[in-house]
Amino acid sequence: MHGHTTWFFPDGDLPQRGAGEPHGHESLVILNPNAQDSVLTITVYFPDREPDVLAPQTVGAQRVRCIRMDEPIDGYQTPFGQYALKIEASTPVVCQIGRMDVQQPNLAYYTVMGCPA
């Protein structure tokens, strides 16, 4: 099997959507290159309150899934501003996060791999 079962992203900072297109956002991207589906538990941490644990999410076998952090995830809305993530998967996966920040005239987009544990 390829990947890891636990991933951390300490630098979440969901930008405001901004006016026009494209909208500012962050996306959690999970690749499951293995032969079994993987069930994810996602914990969202904040600087000023207790963490939130989201409803389980599934990534199919040999599939990729993009979870937009600015859109509701089974009814949960990640608040704008600083946060961190822990992803725990039932089978190994590969995770990365991407941010599109449109808060300045020249938009910025970047992706980073998480820290596997």
Side-chain angles (χ1 to χ4, degrees), residues 18-33:
E21 292 286 337
H23 294 295
H25 68 276
E26 289 189 334
S27 295
L28 174 63
V29 182
I30 304 104
L31 169 64
N32 180 2

Side-chain angles (χ1 to χ4, degrees), residues 26-30 40 42 57 65-69 73:
E26 289 189 334
S27 295
L28 174 63
V29 182
I30 304 104
L40 311 176
I42 300 172
Q57 303 294 307
R65 179 164 178 201
C66 176
I67 298 173
R68 289 274 301 254
M69 299 306 294
I73 305 165

Side-chain angles (χ1 to χ4, degrees), residues 27-59:
S27 295
L28 174 63
V29 182
I30 304 104
L31 169 64
N32 180 2
N34 301 300
Q36 294 178 314
D37 290 356
S38 189
V39 178
L40 311 176
T41 298
I42 300 172
T43 304
V44 186
Y45 296 89
F46 304 96
D48 57 355
R49 67 181 204 195
E50 293 300 308
D52 292 328
V53 179
L54 281 58
Q57 303 294 307
T58 301
V59 181

